[in-house]
Amino acid sequence: MILRRRRTYLPVLFLLTLSFVSVILVFRILRPTQQDEPEALPWKEFPRSSQKAPLGDLPPRVTCLVVTSPGHHEDRARHQGAAWKDPRPPTPCPNTLFLSSAAHPDLPNVILSNYSGYEDLWGKVLHGLRAVDPASAQWFLKADDDTFLLYPHLLDLLGEFDSSVPLFLGLPLVFTDESRSLRVEYMSGGAGYVLSSPAVRLLQKTLLQECHLPGLTSYEDVNMGACMAALGVETGDTRDSLGRARFLPYPPWVLMREDLQHHQGYSWLRRMSKFPFSFGIEHVSDRAVSFHEVRDPRDFYTLLYLTSDLKVLPEESPFTLPEG
Protein backbone atom coordinates (compact mmCIF):
# COMPACT_ATOMS: atom_id res chain seq x y z
CA MET A 1 0.00 0.00 0.00
CA ILE A 2 1.26 3.40 -0.91
CA LEU A 3 0.57 6.11 1.68
CA ARG A 4 0.04 9.54 0.17
CA ARG A 5 0.54 12.70 2.18
CA ARG A 6 -2.63 14.76 2.59
CA ARG A 7 -2.33 18.12 0.92
CA THR A 8 -2.80 21.14 3.14
CA TYR A 9 -3.58 24.66 1.96
CA LEU A 10 -2.87 26.38 5.25
CA PRO A 11 0.58 27.71 4.27
CA VAL A 12 -0.80 29.11 1.06
CA LEU A 13 -3.71 30.81 2.82
CA PHE A 14 -1.35 32.22 5.43
CA LEU A 15 0.90 33.73 2.75
CA LEU A 16 -2.03 35.24 0.88
CA THR A 17 -3.47 36.75 4.06
CA LEU A 18 -0.09 38.15 5.06
CA SER A 19 0.33 39.73 1.62
CA PHE A 20 -3.12 41.30 1.75
CA VAL A 21 -2.57 42.75 5.22
CA SER A 22 0.82 44.12 4.16
CA VAL A 23 -0.72 45.90 1.19
CA ILE A 24 -3.42 47.46 3.40
CA LEU A 25 -0.86 48.64 5.97
CA VAL A 26 1.37 50.19 3.32
CA PHE A 27 -1.62 51.94 1.76
CA ARG A 28 -2.77 53.39 5.08
CA ILE A 29 0.76 54.54 5.97
CA LEU A 30 1.27 56.29 2.65
CA ARG A 31 -2.22 57.84 2.53
CA PRO A 32 -2.55 61.14 4.45
CA THR A 33 -4.82 60.92 7.46
CA GLN A 34 -7.65 63.35 8.13
CA GLN A 35 -5.50 65.03 10.78
CA ASP A 36 -2.61 65.41 8.32
CA GLU A 37 -4.91 66.91 5.71
CA PRO A 38 -7.49 69.14 7.38
CA GLU A 39 -10.61 69.99 5.46
CA ALA A 40 -10.11 73.30 3.73
CA LEU A 41 -12.86 75.85 4.16
CA PRO A 42 -13.89 77.55 0.92
CA TRP A 43 -13.22 81.24 0.53
CA LYS A 44 -16.25 83.25 1.58
CA GLU A 45 -17.22 86.59 0.14
CA PHE A 46 -18.52 89.10 2.66
CA PRO A 47 -21.34 90.91 0.85
CA ARG A 48 -21.83 94.59 1.56
CA SER A 49 -25.30 96.03 1.89
CA SER A 50 -26.33 99.43 0.60
CA GLN A 51 -27.57 102.25 2.82
CA LYS A 52 -30.99 103.86 2.48
CA ALA A 53 -31.40 107.59 2.67
CA PRO A 54 -32.57 108.75 6.12
CA LEU A 55 -35.99 110.36 6.41
CA GLY A 56 -34.76 113.30 8.52
CA ASP A 57 -31.69 115.43 8.98
CA LEU A 58 -31.21 114.78 12.71
CA PRO A 59 -30.41 111.40 14.31
CA PRO A 60 -33.37 109.73 16.03
CA ARG A 61 -33.82 110.13 19.79
CA VAL A 62 -33.78 106.71 21.45
CA THR A 63 -34.37 105.44 24.98
CA CYS A 64 -33.09 101.94 25.76
CA LEU A 65 -34.75 99.70 28.35
CA VAL A 66 -32.48 96.88 29.52
CA VAL A 67 -34.12 94.00 31.38
CA THR A 68 -31.97 92.55 34.16
CA SER A 69 -32.24 91.00 37.63
CA PRO A 70 -30.17 91.05 40.83
CA GLY A 71 -28.67 87.68 39.93
CA HIS A 72 -27.08 89.22 36.83
CA HIS A 73 -26.17 92.69 38.10
CA GLU A 74 -22.54 91.71 38.64
CA ASP A 75 -21.79 89.37 35.74
CA ARG A 76 -23.76 91.15 33.00
CA ALA A 77 -25.61 94.38 33.69
CA ARG A 78 -22.82 96.32 35.41
CA HIS A 79 -20.50 95.71 32.44
CA GLN A 80 -23.20 96.76 30.03
CA GLY A 81 -23.93 99.84 32.10
CA ALA A 82 -20.26 100.79 32.29
CA ALA A 83 -19.91 100.61 28.52
CA TRP A 84 -23.21 102.25 27.66
CA LYS A 85 -22.53 105.35 29.75
CA ASP A 86 -18.96 105.71 28.44
CA PRO A 87 -18.53 109.20 26.93
CA ARG A 88 -16.39 107.91 24.07
CA PRO A 89 -18.19 107.87 20.72
CA PRO A 90 -20.03 105.94 19.54
CA THR A 91 -21.76 105.71 22.92
CA PRO A 92 -24.20 102.79 22.98
CA CYS A 93 -27.60 104.31 23.75
CA PRO A 94 -26.67 107.21 26.08
CA ASN A 95 -30.23 107.31 27.49
CA THR A 96 -30.44 103.86 29.11
CA LEU A 97 -32.85 102.66 31.79
CA PHE A 98 -32.45 99.34 33.60
CA LEU A 99 -35.50 97.31 34.60
CA SER A 100 -34.79 95.36 37.77
CA SER A 101 -36.22 94.42 41.15
CA ALA A 102 -33.26 95.89 43.07
CA ALA A 103 -30.87 98.83 42.78
CA HIS A 104 -27.13 98.57 42.17
CA PRO A 105 -24.44 101.26 42.57
CA ASP A 106 -23.04 100.61 39.09
CA LEU A 107 -26.42 100.74 37.35
CA PRO A 108 -27.72 104.22 36.60
CA ASN A 109 -31.40 104.98 36.15
CA VAL A 110 -33.05 101.79 37.44
CA ILE A 111 -36.83 101.43 37.14
CA LEU A 112 -37.66 99.26 40.15
CA SER A 113 -40.48 96.75 40.23
CA ASN A 114 -41.52 93.69 42.21
CA TYR A 115 -41.09 91.43 39.18
CA SER A 116 -37.96 89.35 39.67
CA GLY A 117 -38.17 85.91 37.99
CA TYR A 118 -38.18 84.90 34.34
CA GLU A 119 -41.87 84.10 34.64
CA ASP A 120 -42.40 87.76 35.64
CA LEU A 121 -40.64 89.17 32.58
CA TRP A 122 -43.86 90.28 30.89
CA GLY A 123 -44.88 92.24 33.99
CA LYS A 124 -41.43 93.80 34.31
CA VAL A 125 -41.42 95.02 30.69
CA LEU A 126 -44.97 96.36 30.94
CA HIS A 127 -44.06 98.20 34.14
CA GLY A 128 -41.00 99.76 32.49
CA LEU A 129 -42.81 100.89 29.35
CA ARG A 130 -45.64 102.41 31.39
CA ALA A 131 -43.13 104.30 33.52
CA VAL A 132 -41.49 106.17 30.63
CA ASP A 133 -42.71 109.40 29.03
CA PRO A 134 -43.57 108.67 25.38
CA ALA A 135 -42.68 112.27 24.51
CA SER A 136 -39.14 111.88 25.87
CA ALA A 137 -37.92 109.95 22.81
CA GLN A 138 -38.96 108.97 19.32
CA TRP A 139 -38.09 105.31 19.79
CA PHE A 140 -37.88 102.89 22.70
CA LEU A 141 -35.62 99.85 22.47
CA LYS A 142 -36.15 96.88 24.78
CA ALA A 143 -33.07 94.65 25.18
CA ASP A 144 -31.68 92.06 27.60
CA ASP A 145 -28.60 92.31 29.81
CA ASP A 146 -26.78 89.92 27.44
CA THR A 147 -27.58 91.93 24.30
CA PHE A 148 -24.69 93.68 22.55
CA LEU A 149 -25.90 96.81 20.76
CA LEU A 150 -24.32 98.63 17.83
CA TYR A 151 -25.91 102.00 18.49
CA PRO A 152 -24.81 103.78 15.28
CA HIS A 153 -26.36 100.94 13.26
CA LEU A 154 -29.56 101.28 15.29
CA LEU A 155 -29.72 104.99 14.45
CA ASP A 156 -29.00 104.17 10.82
CA LEU A 157 -31.88 101.68 10.78
CA LEU A 158 -34.37 103.91 12.58
CA GLY A 159 -33.60 106.75 10.21
CA GLU A 160 -35.39 104.75 7.52
CA PHE A 161 -38.71 104.71 9.42
CA ASP A 162 -41.30 107.30 10.40
CA SER A 163 -41.38 107.67 14.18
CA SER A 164 -44.66 109.61 14.11
CA VAL A 165 -46.73 106.47 13.43
CA PRO A 166 -47.15 103.37 15.62
CA LEU A 167 -44.40 100.92 14.63
CA PHE A 168 -42.97 97.66 15.99
CA LEU A 169 -39.48 96.65 14.75
CA GLY A 170 -37.07 93.79 15.36
CA LEU A 171 -36.37 90.20 14.30
CA PRO A 172 -39.78 88.83 13.23
CA LEU A 173 -40.64 85.33 14.45
CA VAL A 174 -43.87 83.34 14.38
CA PHE A 175 -45.18 81.55 17.47
CA THR A 176 -47.71 78.73 17.22
CA ASP A 177 -48.90 76.86 20.31
CA GLU A 178 -49.13 73.07 20.46
CA SER A 179 -52.82 73.05 19.59
CA ARG A 180 -52.16 75.45 16.69
CA SER A 181 -55.07 77.54 17.88
CA LEU A 182 -52.84 80.54 18.59
CA ARG A 183 -50.54 82.09 16.01
CA VAL A 184 -48.62 85.26 16.89
CA GLU A 185 -46.07 87.20 14.86
CA TYR A 186 -43.66 88.80 17.29
CA MET A 187 -40.16 90.26 17.57
CA SER A 188 -37.37 88.40 19.34
CA GLY A 189 -36.98 89.83 22.84
CA GLY A 190 -33.38 88.75 23.25
CA ALA A 191 -32.23 90.33 20.00
CA GLY A 192 -34.10 93.47 21.03
CA TYR A 193 -37.19 95.13 19.63
CA VAL A 194 -38.15 98.76 19.08
CA LEU A 195 -41.43 100.59 19.66
CA SER A 196 -42.11 104.03 18.24
CA SER A 197 -43.36 106.70 20.63
CA PRO A 198 -46.97 106.45 19.35
CA ALA A 199 -46.87 102.66 19.91
CA VAL A 200 -45.77 103.18 23.52
CA ARG A 201 -48.53 105.74 24.02
CA LEU A 202 -51.13 103.25 22.76
CA LEU A 203 -49.73 100.58 25.08
CA GLN A 204 -50.02 102.89 28.09
CA LYS A 205 -53.64 103.82 27.38
CA THR A 206 -55.17 100.56 26.23
CA LEU A 207 -57.50 98.39 28.26
CA LEU A 208 -57.13 95.42 25.91
CA GLN A 209 -56.42 92.21 27.81
CA GLU A 210 -53.62 91.28 25.39
CA CYS A 211 -51.61 94.22 26.75
CA HIS A 212 -52.05 93.38 30.42
CA LEU A 213 -51.12 90.62 32.83
CA PRO A 214 -51.08 87.65 32.80
CA GLY A 215 -50.57 87.63 28.99
CA LEU A 216 -51.58 85.08 26.39
CA THR A 217 -48.44 82.98 26.91
CA SER A 218 -45.54 82.65 29.34
CA TYR A 219 -43.20 84.39 26.87
CA GLU A 220 -42.73 88.16 27.19
CA ASP A 221 -41.82 88.80 23.56
CA VAL A 222 -44.72 86.69 22.23
CA ASN A 223 -47.09 88.61 24.51
CA MET A 224 -45.74 91.90 23.19
CA GLY A 225 -46.38 90.71 19.65
CA ALA A 226 -49.97 89.83 20.54
CA CYS A 227 -50.41 93.22 22.24
CA MET A 228 -49.09 95.17 19.25
CA ALA A 229 -51.28 93.18 16.85
CA ALA A 230 -54.36 93.85 19.01
CA LEU A 231 -53.52 97.57 18.98
CA GLY A 232 -53.14 97.55 15.21
CA VAL A 233 -49.48 98.57 15.34
CA GLU A 234 -47.68 97.97 12.06
CA THR A 235 -44.42 96.03 11.75
CA GLY A 236 -41.52 97.08 9.57
CA ASP A 237 -38.98 95.13 7.54
CA THR A 238 -35.64 95.66 9.28
CA ARG A 239 -33.53 93.46 6.99
CA ASP A 240 -30.62 95.01 5.11
CA SER A 241 -30.61 95.52 1.34
CA LEU A 242 -29.45 91.90 0.86
CA GLY A 243 -32.29 90.46 2.94
CA ARG A 244 -30.18 89.65 6.02
CA ALA A 245 -31.48 90.13 9.55
CA ARG A 246 -30.06 93.01 11.56
CA PHE A 247 -31.45 92.10 14.99
CA LEU A 248 -29.61 88.85 15.69
CA PRO A 249 -30.37 86.19 18.34
CA TYR A 250 -26.81 84.86 18.70
CA PRO A 251 -23.24 86.25 18.86
CA PRO A 252 -21.36 86.64 15.56
CA TRP A 253 -19.06 83.67 16.28
CA VAL A 254 -22.15 81.44 16.38
CA LEU A 255 -23.92 82.96 13.38
CA MET A 256 -20.83 82.59 11.19
CA ARG A 257 -20.72 78.80 11.67
CA GLU A 258 -22.17 77.29 8.53
CA ASP A 259 -22.20 73.83 10.14
CA LEU A 260 -25.01 74.96 12.45
CA GLN A 261 -27.42 75.41 9.56
CA HIS A 262 -28.97 71.99 10.15
CA HIS A 263 -28.00 71.54 13.79
CA GLN A 264 -30.91 70.38 15.92
CA GLY A 265 -30.18 72.93 18.63
CA TYR A 266 -30.75 75.82 16.23
CA SER A 267 -33.63 74.38 14.20
CA TRP A 268 -36.12 76.56 16.11
CA LEU A 269 -34.75 79.67 14.40
CA ARG A 270 -35.25 78.33 10.88
CA ARG A 271 -38.66 76.97 11.86
CA MET A 272 -39.97 80.13 13.56
CA SER A 273 -38.32 82.89 11.53
CA LYS A 274 -40.75 84.84 9.35
CA PHE A 275 -38.06 85.22 6.69
CA PRO A 276 -35.49 82.58 5.63
CA PHE A 277 -32.59 82.49 8.10
CA SER A 278 -29.19 81.02 7.28
CA PHE A 279 -25.92 80.53 9.15
CA GLY A 280 -22.56 81.40 7.58
CA ILE A 281 -20.35 84.46 7.35
CA GLU A 282 -21.98 85.66 4.14
CA HIS A 283 -25.37 85.70 5.88
CA VAL A 284 -24.30 87.98 8.76
CA SER A 285 -25.24 91.57 7.97
CA ASP A 286 -22.52 94.21 7.90
CA ARG A 287 -25.16 96.56 9.34
CA ALA A 288 -26.12 94.34 12.28
CA VAL A 289 -27.87 96.22 15.09
CA SER A 290 -27.62 93.70 17.93
CA PHE A 291 -26.26 90.31 19.01
CA HIS A 292 -27.92 88.29 21.77
CA GLU A 293 -26.41 85.80 24.25
CA VAL A 294 -23.15 87.72 24.78
CA ARG A 295 -22.96 86.48 28.37
CA ASP A 296 -19.25 86.41 29.14
CA PRO A 297 -18.02 89.93 30.04
CA ARG A 298 -14.79 89.19 28.17
CA ASP A 299 -16.76 88.60 24.98
CA PHE A 300 -18.71 91.80 25.59
CA TYR A 301 -15.54 93.87 25.96
CA THR A 302 -13.96 92.14 22.96
CA LEU A 303 -16.88 93.19 20.77
CA LEU A 304 -16.76 96.67 22.26
CA TYR A 305 -13.05 96.92 21.44
CA LEU A 306 -13.50 95.72 17.87
CA THR A 307 -16.47 97.98 17.14
CA SER A 308 -15.59 101.13 19.11
CA ASP A 309 -11.98 101.31 20.29
CA LEU A 310 -10.09 99.75 17.40
CA LYS A 311 -9.24 102.43 14.87
CA VAL A 312 -8.66 101.26 11.31
CA LEU A 313 -6.35 103.47 9.25
CA PRO A 314 -8.03 105.19 6.31
CA GLU A 315 -7.02 104.02 2.86
CA GLU A 316 -4.78 107.04 2.21
CA SER A 317 -2.79 106.58 5.42
CA PRO A 318 0.75 105.15 5.15
CA PHE A 319 1.62 101.99 7.06
CA THR A 320 4.87 103.52 8.37
CA LEU A 321 5.38 106.46 10.65
CA PRO A 322 6.68 109.62 8.99
CA GLU A 323 10.34 110.35 9.57
CA GLY A 324 11.30 112.99 12.08
Side-chain angles (χ1 to χ4, degrees), residues 27-77:
F27 176 77
R28 289 186 62 87
I29 292 173
L30 294 179
R31 190 185 67 173
T33 64
Q34 189 173 2
Q35 292 181 346
D36 296 331
E37 187 181 10
E39 182 182 358
L41 292 175
W43 170 257
K44 294 289 185 180
E45 294 289 339
F46 194 78
R48 300 291 180 180
S49 59
S50 58
Q51 183 178 6
K52 296 181 181 179
L55 296 179
D57 297 330
L58 298 176
R61 292 180 292 113
V62 182
T63 291
C64 295
L65 305 176
V66 178
V67 179
T68 186
S69 61
H72 291 303
H73 283 177
E74 288 292 328
D75 64 343
R76 295 183 191 176

Coordinates of all heavy atoms in Angstrom, one line a residue, residues 27-77:
F27 N -0.7 50.9 2.3 CA -1.6 51.9 1.8 C -2.0 53.0 2.8 O -2.1 54.2 2.6 CB -2.9 51.2 1.2 CG -3.9 52.2 0.7 CD1 -3.8 52.8 -0.5 CD2 -5.0 52.4 1.4 CE1 -4.7 53.7 -1.0 CE2 -6.0 53.3 1.0 CZ -5.9 53.9 -0.2
R28 N -2.3 52.5 4.0 CA -2.8 53.4 5.1 C -1.6 54.3 5.6 O -1.8 55.4 6.0 CB -3.3 52.6 6.3 CG -4.7 52.0 6.0 CD -5.2 51.3 7.2 NE -5.5 52.3 8.3 CZ -6.6 53.1 8.4 NH1 -7.5 52.9 7.5 NH2 -6.7 53.9 9.3
I29 N -0.4 53.7 5.6 CA 0.8 54.5 6.0 C 1.0 55.6 5.0 O 1.3 56.8 5.3 CB 2.0 53.6 6.2 CG1 1.8 52.7 7.4 CG2 3.3 54.5 6.3 CD1 2.9 51.7 7.5
L30 N 0.9 55.3 3.7 CA 1.3 56.3 2.6 C 0.2 57.3 2.4 O 0.4 58.4 2.0 CB 1.6 55.6 1.3 CG 2.8 54.7 1.3 CD1 3.0 54.0 -0.1 CD2 4.1 55.5 1.6
R31 N -1.1 56.9 2.7 CA -2.2 57.8 2.5 C -2.3 58.9 3.7 O -2.2 58.5 4.8 CB -3.5 57.1 2.5 CG -4.7 57.9 2.0 CD -6.0 57.2 2.1 NE -6.4 56.9 3.5 CZ -7.5 56.3 3.9 NH1 -8.4 56.0 3.0 NH2 -7.8 56.1 5.2
P32 N -2.5 60.1 3.4 CA -2.5 61.1 4.5 C -3.8 60.9 5.3 O -4.8 60.6 4.8 CB -2.6 62.5 3.7 CG -2.2 62.2 2.3 CD -2.5 60.8 2.1
T33 N -3.7 61.0 6.6 CA -4.8 60.9 7.5 C -5.6 62.2 7.4 O -5.2 63.2 6.9 CB -4.4 60.6 8.9 OG1 -3.6 61.7 9.4 CG2 -3.5 59.3 8.9
Q34 N -6.8 62.2 8.1 CA -7.6 63.3 8.1 C -7.0 64.4 9.0 O -7.2 65.6 8.7 CB -9.0 63.0 8.7 CG -10.0 64.1 8.6 CD -11.4 63.7 9.0 OE1 -11.6 62.5 9.5 NE2 -12.4 64.6 8.9
Q35 N -6.2 64.0 10.0 CA -5.5 65.0 10.8 C -4.4 65.7 10.0 O -4.1 66.8 10.2 CB -4.9 64.4 12.0 CG -6.0 63.9 13.0 CD -5.5 63.3 14.2 OE1 -4.3 63.0 14.3 NE2 -6.3 63.1 15.2
D36 N -3.7 64.8 9.1 CA -2.6 65.4 8.3 C -3.1 66.4 7.3 O -2.4 67.3 6.8 CB -1.8 64.3 7.7 CG -1.1 63.4 8.7 OD1 -0.8 63.9 9.8 OD2 -0.9 62.2 8.4
E37 N -4.4 66.1 6.8 CA -4.9 66.9 5.7 C -6.3 67.5 6.2 O -7.3 66.9 5.9 CB -5.1 66.0 4.5 CG -5.5 66.8 3.2 CD -5.7 65.9 2.0 OE1 -5.7 64.7 2.2 OE2 -5.8 66.4 0.9
P38 N -6.2 68.6 6.9 CA -7.5 69.1 7.4 C -8.4 69.6 6.2 O -7.9 70.0 5.2 CB -7.0 70.3 8.3 CG -5.7 70.7 7.8 CD -5.1 69.4 7.3
E39 N -9.7 69.6 6.5 CA -10.6 70.0 5.5 C -10.5 71.5 5.3 O -10.6 72.3 6.2 CB -12.0 69.6 5.9 CG -13.1 70.0 4.8 CD -14.5 69.7 5.3 OE1 -14.6 69.1 6.4 OE2 -15.4 70.0 4.6
A40 N -10.3 71.9 4.0 CA -10.1 73.3 3.7 C -11.5 74.0 3.6 O -12.4 73.5 2.9 CB -9.3 73.5 2.4
L41 N -11.6 75.1 4.3 CA -12.9 75.9 4.2 C -12.8 76.7 2.9 O -11.8 77.3 2.6 CB -13.0 76.8 5.4 CG -13.3 76.1 6.7 CD1 -13.3 77.1 7.8 CD2 -14.6 75.3 6.7
P42 N -13.9 76.7 2.1 CA -13.9 77.5 0.9 C -13.8 79.0 1.2 O -14.3 79.5 2.3 CB -15.2 77.2 0.2 CG -16.1 76.7 1.4 CD -15.2 76.0 2.3
W43 N -13.3 79.8 0.4 CA -13.2 81.2 0.5 C -14.6 81.8 0.5 O -15.4 81.5 -0.3 CB -12.4 81.9 -0.6 CG -12.5 83.4 -0.6 CD1 -13.2 84.2 -1.4 CD2 -11.8 84.3 0.3 NE1 -13.0 85.5 -1.1 CE2 -12.2 85.6 0.0 CE3 -11.0 84.1 1.4 CZ2 -11.8 86.7 0.6 CZ3 -10.5 85.3 2.1 CH2 -10.9 86.5 1.7
K44 N -14.9 82.7 1.5 CA -16.2 83.2 1.6 C -16.2 84.7 1.3 O -15.4 85.5 1.8 CB -16.8 83.0 3.0 CG -17.1 81.6 3.3 CD -18.3 81.1 2.6 CE -18.6 79.7 3.0 NZ -19.8 79.1 2.3
E45 N -17.1 85.2 0.4 CA -17.2 86.6 0.1 C -18.1 87.2 1.3 O -18.9 86.5 1.8 CB -17.9 86.8 -1.2 CG -17.1 86.4 -2.4 CD -15.9 87.3 -2.7 OE1 -15.9 88.5 -2.1 OE2 -15.0 86.9 -3.3
F46 N -17.7 88.4 1.6 CA -18.5 89.1 2.7 C -19.3 90.2 2.0 O -18.8 91.3 1.8 CB -17.6 89.7 3.7 CG -18.4 90.1 5.0 CD1 -18.8 89.2 5.9 CD2 -18.7 91.4 5.2 CE1 -19.5 89.5 7.0 CE2 -19.3 91.8 6.4 CZ -19.7 90.9 7.3
P47 N -20.6 89.9 1.6 CA -21.3 90.9 0.8 C -21.6 92.2 1.6 O -21.8 92.2 2.9 CB -22.7 90.2 0.6 CG -22.4 88.7 0.9 CD -21.3 88.7 1.9
R48 N -21.6 93.3 0.9 CA -21.8 94.6 1.6 C -23.2 95.1 1.2 O -23.6 95.0 0.0 CB -20.8 95.6 1.1 CG -19.4 95.2 1.4 CD -19.1 95.3 2.9 NE -17.8 94.9 3.3 CZ -17.3 94.9 4.5 NH1 -18.1 95.2 5.5 NH2 -16.1 94.5 4.8
S49 N -24.0 95.5 2.2 CA -25.3 96.0 1.9 C -25.2 97.5 1.6 O -24.3 98.2 2.0 CB -26.2 95.8 3.1 OG -25.7 96.4 4.3
S50 N -26.3 98.0 0.9 CA -26.3 99.4 0.6 C -27.1 100.2 1.7 O -28.0 99.6 2.4 CB -27.0 99.6 -0.8 OG -28.3 99.1 -0.8
Q51 N -26.9 101.4 1.8 CA -27.6 102.2 2.8 C -28.7 103.0 2.2 O -28.6 103.6 1.1 CB -26.6 103.2 3.5 CG -27.1 104.0 4.6 CD -26.1 104.9 5.3 OE1 -25.0 105.0 4.8 NE2 -26.5 105.6 6.3
K52 N -29.9 103.1 2.9 CA -31.0 103.9 2.5 C -30.8 105.3 3.0 O -30.2 105.5 4.0 CB -32.3 103.3 3.0 CG -32.6 101.9 2.5 CD -34.0 101.4 3.0 CE -34.3 100.0 2.5 NZ -35.6 99.5 3.1
A53 N -31.5 106.2 2.3 CA -31.4 107.6 2.7 C -32.3 107.8 3.9 O -33.4 107.3 4.0 CB -31.9 108.5 1.5
P54 N -31.8 108.5 4.9 CA -32.6 108.8 6.1 C -33.7 109.7 5.8 O -33.7 110.5 4.9 CB -31.6 109.4 7.1 CG -30.5 110.0 6.2 CD -30.4 109.1 5.0
L55 N -34.8 109.5 6.6 CA -36.0 110.4 6.4 C -35.8 111.8 6.9 O -36.4 112.7 6.4 CB -37.2 109.7 7.1 CG -37.6 108.3 6.6 CD1 -38.8 107.8 7.4 CD2 -38.0 108.4 5.1
G56 N -35.0 112.0 7.9 CA -34.8 113.3 8.5 C -33.3 113.7 8.5 O -32.4 112.9 8.2
D57 N -33.1 114.9 8.9 CA -31.7 115.4 9.0 C -31.0 115.1 10.3 O -29.8 115.0 10.4 CB -31.7 116.9 8.7 CG -32.2 117.3 7.3 OD1 -32.0 116.5 6.4 OD2 -32.8 118.4 7.2
L58 N -31.8 115.0 11.4 CA -31.2 114.8 12.7 C -31.3 113.3 13.1 O -32.2 112.6 12.7 CB -32.0 115.6 13.7 CG -31.9 117.1 13.6 CD1 -32.8 117.8 14.6 CD2 -30.5 117.6 13.6
P59 N -30.3 112.8 13.9 CA -30.4 111.4 14.3 C -31.6 111.2 15.2 O -32.0 112.1 16.0 CB -29.1 111.2 15.1 CG -28.7 112.6 15.5 CD -29.1 113.5 14.4
P60 N -32.2 110.0 15.2 CA -33.4 109.7 16.0 C -33.0 109.8 17.5 O -31.9 109.5 17.9 CB -33.8 108.3 15.6 CG -33.1 108.1 14.3 CD -31.9 108.9 14.3
R61 N -34.0 110.1 18.3 CA -33.8 110.1 19.8 C -34.3 108.8 20.3 O -35.5 108.4 20.1 CB -34.6 111.3 20.4 CG -34.0 112.7 20.1 CD -34.8 113.8 20.7 NE -36.1 113.9 20.2 CZ -37.2 113.7 20.8 NH1 -37.2 113.3 22.1 NH2 -38.4 113.8 20.3
V62 N -33.5 108.1 21.0 CA -33.8 106.7 21.5 C -33.6 106.6 23.0 O -32.6 107.1 23.5 CB -32.9 105.7 20.7 CG1 -33.2 104.3 21.1 CG2 -33.0 105.9 19.2
T63 N -34.5 105.9 23.6 CA -34.4 105.4 25.0 C -34.3 103.9 25.0 O -35.1 103.2 24.3 CB -35.6 105.9 25.9 OG1 -35.5 107.3 26.0 CG2 -35.5 105.3 27.2
C64 N -33.3 103.4 25.7 CA -33.1 101.9 25.8 C -33.5 101.4 27.1 O -33.1 101.9 28.2 CB -31.6 101.6 25.5 SG -31.1 102.0 23.8
L65 N -34.3 100.4 27.1 CA -34.7 99.7 28.3 C -34.1 98.3 28.4 O -34.3 97.5 27.5 CB -36.3 99.5 28.4 CG -37.1 100.8 28.2 CD1 -38.6 100.5 28.1 CD2 -36.8 101.8 29.3
V66 N -33.2 98.1 29.4 CA -32.5 96.9 29.5 C -33.1 96.1 30.7 O -33.1 96.5 31.8 CB -31.0 97.1 29.8 CG1 -30.2 95.8 29.9 CG2 -30.4 97.9 28.6
V67 N -33.5 94.9 30.4 CA -34.1 94.0 31.4 C -33.0 93.2 32.1 O -32.2 92.6 31.4 CB -35.1 93.0 30.7 CG1 -35.7 92.1 31.8 CG2 -36.2 93.8 30.0
T68 N -33.0 93.3 33.4 CA -32.0 92.6 34.2 C -32.6 92.1 35.5 O -33.8 92.3 35.7 CB -30.7 93.4 34.4 OG1 -29.7 92.6 35.0 CG2 -31.0 94.6 35.3
S69 N -31.8 91.5 36.3 CA -32.2 91.0 37.6 C -31.1 91.0 38.6 O -29.9 91.0 38.1 CB -32.8 89.6 37.5 OG -31.8 88.7 37.1
P70 N -31.3 91.0 39.9 CA -30.2 91.1 40.8 C -29.2 89.9 40.6 O -28.0 90.1 40.9 CB -30.9 90.9 42.2 CG -32.2 91.5 42.0 CD -32.6 91.1 40.6
G71 N -29.6 88.8 40.2 CA -28.7 87.7 39.9 C -27.7 87.9 38.8 O -26.7 87.2 38.7
H72 N -28.0 88.9 38.0 CA -27.1 89.2 36.8 C -26.6 90.7 36.9 O -26.0 91.1 35.9 CB -27.8 89.0 35.5 CG -28.1 87.5 35.2 ND1 -27.0 86.6 35.2 CD2 -29.2 86.8 35.0 CE1 -27.6 85.4 34.9 NE2 -28.9 85.5 34.8
H73 N -26.7 91.3 38.0 CA -26.2 92.7 38.1 C -24.7 92.7 38.0 O -24.1 93.6 37.3 CB -26.6 93.3 39.4 CG -28.0 93.8 39.5 ND1 -28.6 94.3 40.6 CD2 -29.0 93.8 38.5 CE1 -29.8 94.6 40.4 NE2 -30.1 94.3 39.1
E74 N -24.0 91.7 38.6 CA -22.5 91.7 38.6 C -21.9 91.2 37.4 O -21.0 91.7 36.8 CB -22.1 90.9 39.8 CG -22.3 91.6 41.2 CD -21.4 92.8 41.4 OE1 -20.3 92.8 40.8 OE2 -21.8 93.8 42.0
D75 N -22.5 90.0 36.9 CA -21.8 89.4 35.7 C -22.2 89.9 34.4 O -21.6 89.6 33.4 CB -22.0 87.9 35.8 CG -23.5 87.4 35.7 OD1 -24.3 88.3 35.9 OD2 -23.7 86.3 35.4
R76 N -23.3 90.7 34.3 CA -23.8 91.1 33.0 C -24.1 92.6 33.0 O -23.4 93.4 32.3 CB -25.0 90.4 32.6 CG -24.8 88.9 32.3 CD -26.1 88.3 31.8 NE -26.1 86.9 31.8 CZ -27.2 86.1 31.4 NH1 -28.3 86.7 31.1 NH2 -27.1 84.8 31.4
A77 N -25.1 93.0 33.8 CA -25.6 94.4 33.7 C -24.6 95.5 34.0 O -24.6 96.5 33.4 CB -26.8 94.5 34.6

